[in-house]
Amino acid sequence: MAERERPRRLLRLVQEGRLDLLRDELHPEDIPEARSRRWGRLGDTLLHHAARMGHRDVLEFLVRELGMDVEVANGDYKRPIHEAASMGHGECVSFLLERGASVDCLKKADWTPLMMACTRKNLEVISSLVEHGANPLLRNKDGWNCFHIASREGHPEVLRYLLDVSPGIWDTESTIRRTPLHTAAMHGCSRVVELLLERCHYRPDSRDKCGVTPFMDAIQNGHLDIARMLLEKHQACPTALDALGAQALHRAAVTAQDGSLQFLVAELGVDVNGRATSLRIPALHYAAKEGHGHTILTLLSLGADLQAQDGKSRSALHAAVAGQQAEATRILLRAGLRDTPDGSGTLAQQLARKPEVIQVFQESQVTT
């Protein structure tokens, strides 16, 4: 039993940074196994664990005295330098680089140590990697470079540094044609958006592969400060269409961003009954299909036409029942919308599947 517990004890000492006890525990005959031993699903070595936890002295002991390879990879092709960079452990990164670790090695999905470092606001680590030759323009399998990653994380200080060392780094798109401006707007990184608008040269209303603009990203995620910034400083168009012909209005209805709907209609004057796609679908239908009862009420308060039909003569009630949305169905019925002009219940018979939706219609027939 003691022999079986021994590897676990070694791992715990490495994770806790107990170098003194680790030296005492390791006998010469144990070194070959300790050097090659793997842990967990991905097969991390002691070196991976020491780098992840930021124990420079343990890392140095494992490399110098046990002879472990600084380029050892786990099942995701992640090296110790990936671990140290991703956790912001500057001393560990510096030691591994001094020992010859490849600065641009790739883990699964083609992430470099610099990309990993840009998930954190640690300029010491980022600058150390760049100074040792890391290429900031490399892209992972999704087409993101480190600038794109830092934009998502909301680190203007990191972005300023990257722009200083590589002025053209901002001019990048992912494989689905999303820019760092899209990403920052989507994630609500207002300070980053401000910096990107000041120092970079993105086209107003640049579209990703789905036709989504940064303004749409901000609106459908409820980031109104960013939406205002894009309108004032980047001439964004609030009624631009995506690849399917939907506006920011329709996308906000899908994501239940009532504040965004108020902003678009009450402040910007966007038509609340504007239609999307070749099927001419109103925003009210989108909210109904998704079951956003409070958004239905918001749209109605903003003047949405309760009786509006799409290009296939379907009402918002059709959309709610087709989506099996009981509460949305109830709200629309209470607002006065009926499945057929004579209230015969055809829609309920044809589309209602869930017992809760069927019950809503039964209740409606009793009350009427």
Side-chain angles (χ1 to χ4, degrees), residues 112 234 276 285 300 310 353 366:
T112 66
H234 210 225
H285 286 55
L300 291 175
D310 65 15
R353 297 289 182 270
V366 169

Side-chain angles (χ1 to χ4, degrees), residues 137-290:
L137 298 178
L138 292 178
R139 295 160 32 126
N140 64 20
K141 77 171 184 64
D142 295 317
W144 287 32
N145 63 19
C146 59
F147 190 83
H148 212 144
I149 292 164
S151 296
R152 180 191 67 187
E153 300 300 326
H155 298 156
E157 301 86 353
V158 173
L159 294 170
R160 287 190 190 95
Y161 172 79
L162 292 172
L163 285 168
D164 289 341
V165 299
S166 182
I169 195 172
W170 63 271
D171 191 9
T172 182
E173 292 181 343
S174 71
T175 53
I176 57 171
R177 292 171 43 198
R178 289 181 64 78
T179 66
L181 184 59
H182 281 89
T183 300
M186 175 183 179
H187 289 277
C189 304
S190 56
R191 290 199 303 147
V192 167
V193 170
E194 187 173 13
L195 173 66
L196 296 179
L197 294 181
E198 286 175 359
R199 293 195 56 176
C200 308
H201 307 286
Y202 297 109
R203 297 189 316 276
D205 292 321
S206 56
R207 288 167 166 77
D208 67 11
K209 202 169 183 178
C210 295
V212 175
T213 67
F215 179 82
M216 290 178 188
D217 270 321
I219 285 291
Q220 69 185 357
N221 287 284
H223 305 309
L224 297 185
D225 56 337
I226 292 175
R228 287 188 172 92
M229 197 185 310
L230 289 167
L231 288 170
E232 295 167 6
K233 297 185 177 181
H234 210 225
Q235 295 77 53
C237 176
T239 55
L241 304 180
D242 66 14
L244 295 177
Q247 300 179 23
L249 174 82
H250 305 101
R251 301 184 74 93
V254 170
T255 57
Q257 292 296 338
D258 294 13
S260 293
L261 293 169
Q262 292 274 3
F263 171 66
L264 289 168
V265 178
E267 292 190 38
L268 300 185
V270 173
D271 181 6
V272 71
N273 292 306
R275 306 303 184 97
T277 80
S278 60
L279 295 178
R280 297 181 49 75
I281 303 174
L284 188 64
H285 286 55
Y286 284 103
K289 182 180 179 181
E290 297 298 326

Side-chain angles (χ1 to χ4, degrees), residues 288-309:
K289 182 180 179 181
E290 297 298 326
H292 302 318
H294 56 92
T295 302
I296 292 172
L297 294 172
T298 294
L299 287 166
L300 291 175
S301 73
L302 290 169
D305 181 2
L306 180 65
Q307 306 297 332
Q309 296 184 344

